[in-house]
Amino acid sequence: GENVEQHPSTLSVQEGDSAVIKCTYSDSASNYFPWYKQELGKRPQLIIDIRSNVGEKKDQRIAVTLNKTAKHFSLHITETQPEDSAVYFCAASKTSYDKVIFGPGTSLSVIP
Amino acid sequence: GAVVSQHPSRVICKSGTSVKIECRSLDFQATTMFWYRQFPKKSLMLMATSNEGSKATYEQGVEKDKFLINHASLTLSTLTVTSAHPEDSSFYICSALTSGPNTGELFFGEGSRLTVL
């Protein structure tokens, strides 16, 4: 089955700096890669996703890149703000209608 | 976005009892729901895929007789932890898949924290 790894497990950045979280996946049949943000005590929420027919996608301060050949994908957050502090999970799925397998998570702290 | 409601949010029970957790899609029909388990400061571990009108598909290592899943309608899936023991204490969270012409998005319930004494 699919296995998703994620690095780093914790990340601390100064407000205004960029944060990068990297993930790898094992199943070459995966084609859908969502990213979720989970604030303390709250439910995970989708922040951005990317499909295998696209190499990069951007939404304001958040961007994701995908290298399907290498089975790598990354989340980039620019101009970080304290409210970006949360746990971020990458995930992989065959399609957006299939089960989603999560990475172990990255705890991001943005220091004011 | 779509709303998924989970109940109860917290439950404490004695060892040996069974606990039922409900997951409802409030404003959409969900043919597929997923049940996850999350340990403190850990990731979401997929337990099973729940399909309306059919048997759930369990992930490897998840005891189907221990964690009973029922998806009797397009808006409700239930997880019953049978004969709960302290090691079953965890945060259980459901998610429902929206359907649409181009994309299915996963929406999560609030989660249920189970404590087994």
Side-chain angles (χ1 to χ4, degrees), chain B residues 48-60:
Chain B
T49 301
S50 169
N51 293 299
E52 186 267 336
S54 63
K55 289 184 179 179
T57 303
Y58 289 81
E59 293 300 302
Q60 192 172 12

Side-chain angles (χ1 to χ4, degrees), chain B residues 19-24 30-35 48-58 64 67-81 94:
Chain B
V19 174
K20 181 186 281 189
I21 300 169
E22 293 186 346
C23 179
R24 293 181 186 274
T31 54
T32 303
M33 291 184 176
F34 302 97
W35 286 94
T49 301
S50 169
N51 293 299
E52 186 267 336
S54 63
K55 289 184 179 179
T57 303
Y58 289 81
K64 57 183 70 177
F67 300 100
L68 299 179
I69 291 172
N70 184 275
H71 194 156
S73 79
L74 286 171
T75 58
L76 174 65
S77 176
T78 60
L79 168 68
T80 302
V81 183
C94 71

Side-chain angles (χ1 to χ4, degrees), chain B residues 30-43:
Chain B
T31 54
T32 303
M33 291 184 176
F34 302 97
W35 286 94
Y36 290 87
R37 184 173 180 176
Q38 187 175 31
F39 291 101
K41 298 186 179 181
K42 296 290 184 184
S43 188

Side-chain angles (χ1 to χ4, degrees), chain A residues 50-97:
Chain A
I50 190 167
R51 287 173 171 75
S52 61
N53 58 345
V54 174
E56 185 172 354
K57 183 176 178 180
K58 192 173 181 180
D59 182 4
Q60 299 182 341
R61 295 187 297 108
I62 295 173
V64 289
T65 58
L66 170 66
N67 182 330
K68 199 157 165 47
T69 304
K71 296 188 199 145
H72 290 176
F73 57 117
S74 300
L75 176 72
H76 303 249
I77 306 174
T78 59
E79 300 172 31
T80 53
Q81 301 165 4
E83 50 266 38
D84 294 330
S85 297
V87 178
Y88 290 81
F89 293 101
C90 62
S93 171
K94 286 190 171 58
T95 72
S96 57
Y97 292 94

Side-chain angles (χ1 to χ4, degrees), chain A residues 14 24 31 52 61 63 82 92 102:
Chain A
Q14 289 291 134
T24 60
N31 288 298
S52 61
R61 295 187 297 108
F102 284 78

